[in-house]
Amino acid sequence: MASSPDGAAAEPRDAELAAVVIRFLGAVIALVVAAAVVAVATRVEDDAGGEGAAGVAAERGGEPARGTAVASYVDRRAGALDALGSGGPQAAVVSFGRYVTADAAGDLLADVSVRALLVAAPGGAPGPVGPGGVEAWAAAEREGALAEIAELERLIPTTQDAAFVEQYRADIERLRVLAAADAAGPVVFGAVVVGPAPTLRALARRPEVRLVDPAGSPSPPALDRVSGLRPEETVTVGDPPERPAR
């Protein structure tokens, strides 16, 4: 096609240039969208379980975030224990591989100073108690379960909804197990302890011990923040939220 002074022949070149610009803008938009997706995914991962870099850096011993992958948490915290020096006493949270009695826990932890035991009755929520407080804790669990059973039994005749009745009866069965909480039974799944790093590492090698999780200081962490790992938490921290009734 011949050129013309009025630019008629330039129209195809203008169209090609416009197409190039559109393709460039499309690539830029795609990159921006991809970056946003990565940022959101990273933020969700951190919020869900501390698995991102920021979450890992913020981890505190004995306080695994709900939703964290158990296997990776155990690996990281075992590494933190290995990295401890051989200086003075260090606080740590011990998690057992199964529930044990308070007496058995005392035998396992004889070489360290026990500041609290981590306990959970069948069908109940976990929590810390003082080394000599298991009996009082079990009594409170029984009393609370019996009170809830009485309330649910009062509610059952007041509803005609079959789904509610079924749920109430299921809750009553779970609470009857909790109402039998026995301080002498296997209710201990961990402990908050203080001891020299070599002693803590030796404790971690015991077959009954799942994890010795260093707190990062000689002072034990605040007990209202400590959770440890229960034996039934095998995949994700906090799942299930309570010890199964059976």
Side-chain angles (χ1 to χ4, degrees):
M1 178 183 297
S3 299
S4 64
D6 60 6
E11 290 179 1
R13 289 196 297 274
D14 290 344
E16 291 171 3
L17 179 60
V20 169
V21 171
I22 291 171
R23 285 197 297 272
F24 175 76
L25 291 175
V28 170
I29 292 171
L31 286 173
V32 171
V33 171
V37 169
V38 170
V40 170
T42 301
R43 186 164 58 250
V44 168
E45 187 176 26
D46 288 347
D47 291 343
E51 297 297 305
V56 171
E59 278 183 345
R60 289 181 289 199
E63 303 175 27
R66 186 176 297 274
T68 299
V70 169
S72 60
Y73 181 83
V74 169
D75 286 344
R76 288 195 300 272
R77 302 312 299 166
L81 177 64
D82 290 339
L84 283 181
S86 56
Q90 292 287 325
V93 177
V94 181
S95 297
F96 302 138
R98 61 184 179 86
Y99 287 93
V100 301
T101 64
D103 287 344
D107 292 340
L108 283 169
L109 304 170
D111 294 331
V112 293
S113 174
V114 179
R115 304 301 175 85
L117 295 175
L118 303 179
V119 296
V129 299
V134 178
E135 181 61 57
W137 160 80
E141 290 288 275
R142 292 193 296 268
E143 182 179 347
L146 290 173
E148 287 190 60
I149 289 173
E151 178 63 15
L152 290 171
E153 288 179 337
R154 184 189 69 80
L155 289 174
I156 286 176
T158 68
T159 179
Q160 301 300 315
D161 190 313
F164 277 116
V165 172
E166 182 179 357
Q167 183 59 56
Y168 290 160
R169 295 195 184 282
D171 289 341
I172 287 172
E173 289 305 308
R174 175 184 63 82
L175 288 165
R176 281 178 176 155
V177 176
L178 184 57
D182 182 4
V187 295
V188 180
F189 67 90
V192 179
V193 305
V194 175
T199 303
L200 295 177
R201 283 191 282 268
L203 179 62
R205 292 192 290 271
R206 297 285 298 266
E208 303 91 340
V209 175
R210 183 182 188 186
L211 176 65
V212 175
D213 191 348
S217 77
S219 300
L223 293 184
D224 62 348
R225 300 183 63 93
V226 171
S227 60
L229 290 173
R230 288 174 284 120
E232 61 270 15
E233 292 175 283
T234 58
V235 178
T236 304
V237 173
D239 183 20
E242 298 180 344
R243 179 179 177 179
R246 303 291 182 187

